[in-house]
Amino acid sequence: MSPNESNGEPTSIEVQDSIPVIDYSLLTSGVANERSKVVQDIGKACEDWGCFMLVNHGIPETLIQEMMDLSDEFFNMTKEEKLEFEAHGVFDPIRCTSRLNLVNQNKDMLWRECLRLIVHPDFNCPKKPLGLSELASDYVKRTRAVAMELVKGVSESLGFEASYMNHELNLDASFQLLAINYYPSILEFDASLGLVQHTDHGLLTLLYENGVSGLEVLHNGKWVGIGSVPNAFFILSADHLEIFSNGKYKGKLHRTVMKDERKRITLVNTNGPSLDTIVGPSTRLVDGENRPPRFLPMKYSEYLECQTRLVTAGKHPFDEIRIHI
Ligand code: OGA
Ligand code: NI
């Protein structure tokens, strides 16, 4: 099937030559040899690419479509209505950043609005538009379940038991964010830079887009565009997977460039440890001189504050915690 067709059957797709595709249903099928094969594939995808497409994830397309529609309605509210959720700090339960504020240190205009919600351990969401809160609550429960299954697979791919990362990083109280990004049409604003290059905090990011592509990842020194694949999540390995795996799996650098005349909406879930977890390289992956630690441990909440502080100066928290060997 071509990437642009969908007939409601489980998807089997060749994507952009080589961006790995992982079939989620094989991870949860209960068939041992299918699972060990897909665990291996996840490990390889994390190591070689730091990202992959996830198909057959089981989250209903209708739920995602409704999330897209209500998100669109949210951003179409008046500026005054959105002002109630104006951004103040990194731990605001609900934070809306308007494109008017978004000028980076190079004075690039960044045409993006973002609604950022803390959705776990506590769930937060605006009451407007009607129905968004109920829908988002269902959506993030499902994406968290998928993320946690993937983390189990990642844990096994590193040679650990499936529950090891959950236990070490206190994932029952996992800090989960839902960022809903809205990039207006380039016809509306004559600017194409949506989001400057960055890596995400947390372990794995789950990204879903409204059929309008724009995401690029840095792969082997080149920016590679990620085509829009129907009903697939795009999964990115993030900073705390790099730290915990002691550099084996890298946080993937990505950015958004708008080329399409249609507006782009993305649902982006970051999934981290609990806020009070001190994250460093797994003790099982570090030993004396052969495998020295590559990162200093840092509490996840401090990392988030540090990231916010450094990002305006164009720096990365790794500048503070990376151990140069
Ligand atoms: C993010 C992100 C990309 C996009 O929200 O961290 O990378 O295209 N978003 O929305
Ligand atoms: Ni990102």
Side-chain angles (χ1 to χ4, degrees):
M1 199 194 304
S2 92
N4 296 321
E5 289 172 44
S6 174
N7 59 5
E9 296 289 320
T11 334
S12 162
I13 316 162
E14 296 285 316
V15 191
Q16 313 246 320
D17 308 333
S18 44
I19 287 175
V21 180
I22 299 294
D23 185 339
Y24 182 76
S25 65
L26 300 181
L27 199 60
T28 51
S29 68
V31 181
N33 61 348
E34 281 183 357
R35 183 177 171 87
S36 57
K37 167 79 172 70
V38 81
V39 160
Q40 227 178 26
D41 290 348
I42 289 174
K44 192 160 165 33
C46 288
E47 205 169 347
D48 296 351
W49 274 85
C51 59
F52 54 89
M53 293 283 178
L54 189 72
V55 297
N56 299 331
H57 46 74
I59 301 181
E61 243 173 298
T62 46
L63 172 63
I64 299 172
Q65 189 50 52
E66 284 176 70
M67 273 300 292
M68 289 291 179
D69 293 346
L70 283 186
S71 300
D72 196 16
E73 264 186 56
F74 176 87
F75 290 109
N76 280 320
M77 295 194 316
T78 62
K79 228 185 281 170
E80 288 67 35
E81 280 177 295
K82 284 182 275 186
L83 213 55
E84 186 187 334
F85 309 112
E86 198 181 17
H88 297 290
V90 63
F91 296 116
D92 287 356
I94 300 177
R95 192 149 76 109
C96 183
T97 13
S98 127
R99 58 188 169 233
L100 298 178
N101 302 329
L102 291 172
V103 180
N104 72 1
Q105 73 273 14
N106 302 324
K107 304 276 181 283
D108 294 325
M109 302 297 272
L110 303 177
W111 299 111
R112 179 183 73 131
E113 280 192 84
C114 178
L115 174 64
R116 193 173 158 285
L117 312 174
I118 296 177
V119 292
H120 195 261
D122 297 318
F123 175 78
N124 302 277
C125 187
K127 295 283 169 276
K128 291 180 287 189
L130 211 62
L132 176 64
S133 182
E134 291 71 19
L135 209 62
S137 162
D138 186 16
Y139 179 74
V140 298
K141 263 188 212 129
R142 289 169 186 266
T143 54
R144 186 166 60 257
V146 169
M148 292 303 126
E149 275 306 320
L150 286 175
V151 169
K152 284 186 199 164
V154 167
S155 188
E156 285 182 71
S157 80
L158 287 167
F160 308 137
E161 58 276 20
S163 61
Y164 177 66
M165 287 179 65
N166 185 310
H167 181 258
E168 291 294 297
L169 299 168
N170 192 14
L171 298 185
D172 289 343
S174 137
F175 183 71
Q176 186 192 22
L177 288 175
L178 173 63
I180 308 178
N181 297 301
Y182 179 95
Y183 306 88
S185 157
I186 53 171
L187 296 179
E188 199 181 332
F189 292 99
D190 182 20
S192 63
L193 192 56
L195 192 49
V196 284
Q197 64 174 62
H198 66 283
T199 60
D200 294 340
H201 58 78
L203 298 167
L204 293 174
T205 299
L206 274 60
L207 182 147
Y208 202 101
E209 64 189 14
N210 67 332
V212 178
S213 50
L215 191 68
E216 296 183 350
V217 295
L218 192 67
H219 188 65
N220 293 338
K222 284 202 191 103
W223 286 105
V224 178
I226 307 297
S228 201
V229 177
N231 205 23
F233 277 89
F234 187 65
I235 314 292
L236 289 150
S237 138
D239 295 348
H240 291 80
L241 192 51
E242 178 161 351
I243 298 168
F244 191 76
S245 70
N246 202 26
K248 183 166 186 188
Y249 299 160
K250 303 276 186 295
K252 189 69 174 170
L253 210 52
H254 55 286
R255 66 179 187 184
T256 301
V257 179
M258 284 291 291
K259 299 177 191 115
D260 205 296
E261 292 183 354
R262 294 167 297 169
K263 68 188 164 209
R264 169 175 166 81
I265 300 177
T266 56
L267 308 173
V268 181
N269 258 136
T270 59
N271 297 277
S274 75
L275 278 181
D276 57 2
T277 301
I278 298 168
V279 189
S282 159
T283 50
R284 293 186 184 177
L285 293 174
V286 169
D287 64 43
E289 283 176 16
N290 293 335
R291 295 186 300 171
R294 293 173 181 274
F295 298 95
L296 296 169
M298 187 186 261
K299 206 191 220 186
Y300 190 43
S301 57
E302 279 168 25
Y303 189 96
L304 295 177
E305 283 165 333
C306 171
Q307 189 182 40
T308 313
R309 187 162 34 82
L310 293 183
V311 84
T312 40
K315 288 170 83 184
H316 193 279
F318 279 13
D319 296 340
E320 306 226 329
I321 62 166
R322 194 192 289 281
I323 300 171
H324 296 278
I325 300 168

